[in-house]
């Protein structure tokens, strides 16, 4: 099963959960900054993060500074042979937290990969911050297809089905209209206008608008949540995704469940609600 991490961001703070141990890490014992990784990655994140914390990261005015500082540290490391096996799934890392001048939290989604010159490359980060207009959102790592109807209003497969069906229906419509006006004075006009219409772009626009409405409604609800309610939500979503994924895979063996839960706020930094008992106390 693919390890999964899910986080809710709002003006109240951040609540996050994972179904696999050693997914969520503090990047500092004093500063409100953390990192989520795929524990199945060939990169030894636990050791790297532990070594980075010993460099005593300094305060940054804005959260972007923490992410930049850590990626610069990663870039200074010697690439090991096993790291070349990084994939988009195992190389995805998520920074989240606050800078000293930030009022609301931010998230940086970065894809780590090894170049042909054996250098770690991070590409362009996906940056998202809570603000007055965008008051709440979620971010995730892993496969959440099993609960995507709850999060996005539909599954990826459903969207693909409606897109393909709409395109086929338009192609059939265009064929019939073309045949109807073939050989008439309107043939060129009809052919031109049918060719100019992008059926796939049109249906994708409709589906995207529906998804945006669903995300907007979800954000409106989460914005009213307390931190305690956000914790309940992330734990419920991760548990539901783990159990449904297990069911879809044939229900063999024991289903997964939430293994890590953490909360982050400005005054308290990262606080553990649930964590692996195997990690040394000094490392969490």
């Amino acid at each position: 099963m693919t390890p999964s991490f899910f986080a809710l961001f709002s003006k109240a703070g951040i609540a996050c959960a994972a179904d696999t141990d050693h997914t969520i890490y503090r990047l500092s014992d004093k500063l409100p900054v953390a990192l989520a990784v795929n524990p199945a990655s060939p990169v030894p994140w636990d050791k790297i993060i532990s070594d980075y914390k010993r460099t005593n990261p300094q305060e940054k005015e804005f959260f972007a500074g923490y992410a930049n500082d850590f990626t610069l540290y990663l870039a200074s490391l010697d690439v090991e042979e096993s790291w070349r096996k990084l994939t988009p799934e195992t190389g995805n890392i998520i920074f989240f937290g606050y800078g000293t001048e930030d009022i609301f939290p931010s998230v940086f989604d970065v894809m780590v990969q090894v170049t042909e010159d054996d250098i770690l490359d991070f590409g362009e980060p996906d940056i998202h911050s809570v603000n007055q207009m965008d008051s709440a959102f979620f971010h995730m790592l892993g496969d959440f297809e099993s609960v995507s109807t709850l999060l996005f209003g539909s599954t990826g497969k459903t969207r693909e089905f409606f897109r393909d069906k709409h395109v086929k229906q338009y192609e059939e419509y265009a064929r019939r209209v073309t045949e109807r006006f073939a050989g008439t004075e309107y043939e060129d006009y009809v052919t031109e206008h049918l060719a100019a219409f992008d059926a796939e772009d049109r249906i994708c626009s409709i589906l995207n608008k529906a998804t945006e409405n669903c995300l907007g409604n979800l954000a409106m609800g989460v914005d009213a949540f307390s931190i305690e309610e956000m914790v309940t939500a992330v734990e419920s979503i991760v548990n539901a995704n783990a159990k449904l994924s297990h069911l879809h895979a044939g229900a063999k063996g024991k289903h997964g469940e939430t293994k890590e839960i953490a909360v982050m706020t400005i005054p308290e930094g990262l606080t553990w609600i649930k964590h692996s008992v195997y990690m040394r106390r000094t490392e969490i």
Side-chain angles (χ1 to χ4, degrees):
M1 184 180 69
T2 303
S4 298
F5 163 85
F6 187 86
L8 284 175
F9 296 75
S10 78
K11 296 174 183 176
I14 306 167
C16 56
D19 66 359
T20 308
D21 292 326
H22 312 308
T23 296
I24 306 168
Y25 291 89
R26 282 194 181 113
L27 280 183
S28 169
D29 293 328
K30 301 177 181 179
L31 306 173
V33 56
L35 178 69
V37 303
N38 185 332
S41 171
V43 177
W45 290 117
D46 51 351
K47 181 181 184 305
I48 289 174
I49 292 170
S50 180
D51 291 343
Y52 173 75
K53 288 168 67 175
R54 294 192 185 97
T55 68
N56 191 27
Q58 300 302 301
E59 289 185 342
K60 309 294 182 185
E61 288 188 2
F62 302 104
F63 181 70
Y66 293 122
N68 292 336
D69 190 63
F70 185 70
T71 53
L72 285 174
Y73 175 78
L74 289 179
S76 71
L77 301 177
D78 293 330
V79 173
E80 298 179 10
E81 180 68 28
S82 61
W83 299 7
R84 296 190 181 95
K85 298 178 182 178
L86 276 171
T87 66
E89 183 178 281
T90 59
N92 195 191
I93 60 177
I94 299 175
F95 300 92
F96 55 97
Y98 300 82
T100 59
E101 297 298 317
D102 291 331
I103 300 175
F104 304 129
S106 297
V107 58
F108 277 46
D109 190 323
V110 178
M111 190 66 65
V112 181
Q113 58 185 352
V114 179
T115 68
E116 294 181 355
D117 298 325
D118 283 342
I119 298 173
L120 287 180
D121 179 69
F122 308 99
E124 287 295 324
D126 177 13
I127 306 169
H128 203 170
S129 300
V130 171
N131 53 56
Q132 295 294 348
M133 299 299 295
D134 195 2
S135 58
F137 57 84
F138 63 83
H139 210 84
M140 54 193 185
L141 180 71
D143 183 8
F144 280 85
E145 179 74 6
S146 295
V147 293
S148 58
T149 301
L150 173 65
L151 302 175
F152 302 104
S154 67
T155 66
K157 291 181 180 179
T158 300
R159 290 170 60 89
E160 291 177 4
F161 171 80
F162 278 111
R163 181 199 64 199
D164 295 344
K165 185 176 180 63
H166 179 82
V167 171
K168 289 180 180 179
Q169 287 180 331
Y170 180 75
E171 290 174 348
E172 175 61 19
Y173 164 79
R175 183 189 65 78
R176 294 171 64 182
V177 171
T178 299
E179 290 179 355
R180 173 66 180 80
F181 288 96
T184 71
E185 59 183 304
Y186 303 107
E187 181 177 5
D188 291 341
Y189 175 86
V190 168
T191 301
E192 179 183 349
H193 280 72
L194 288 175
F197 183 77
D198 190 331
E200 183 172 352
D201 181 71
R202 176 60 175 168
I203 188 60
C204 286
S205 176
I206 293 172
L207 292 171
N208 289 339
K209 183 64 176 178
T211 299
E212 289 175 6
N213 290 337
C214 182
L215 292 175
N217 291 335
L218 188 149
M220 188 182 303
V222 173
D223 186 36
F225 282 9
S226 65
I227 281 290
E228 292 79 6
E229 290 168 330
M230 290 169 64
V231 168
T232 299
V234 296
E235 181 177 19
S236 298
I237 289 172
V238 170
N239 276 338
N241 186 61
K243 292 176 182 178
L244 288 171
S245 297
H246 174 259
L247 182 63
H248 293 160
K252 296 180 181 179
K254 188 180 184 299
H255 63 72
E257 60 182 9
T258 302
K259 296 292 184 66
E260 295 182 339
I261 306 174
V263 167
M264 182 179 287
T265 59
I266 292 178
E268 298 181 356
L270 188 74
T271 303
W272 294 106
I273 307 298
K274 186 176 184 180
H275 198 280
S276 168
V277 296
Y278 300 108
M279 181 171 282
R280 296 190 304 274
R281 189 69 184 173
T282 57
E283 294 298 322
I284 64 173

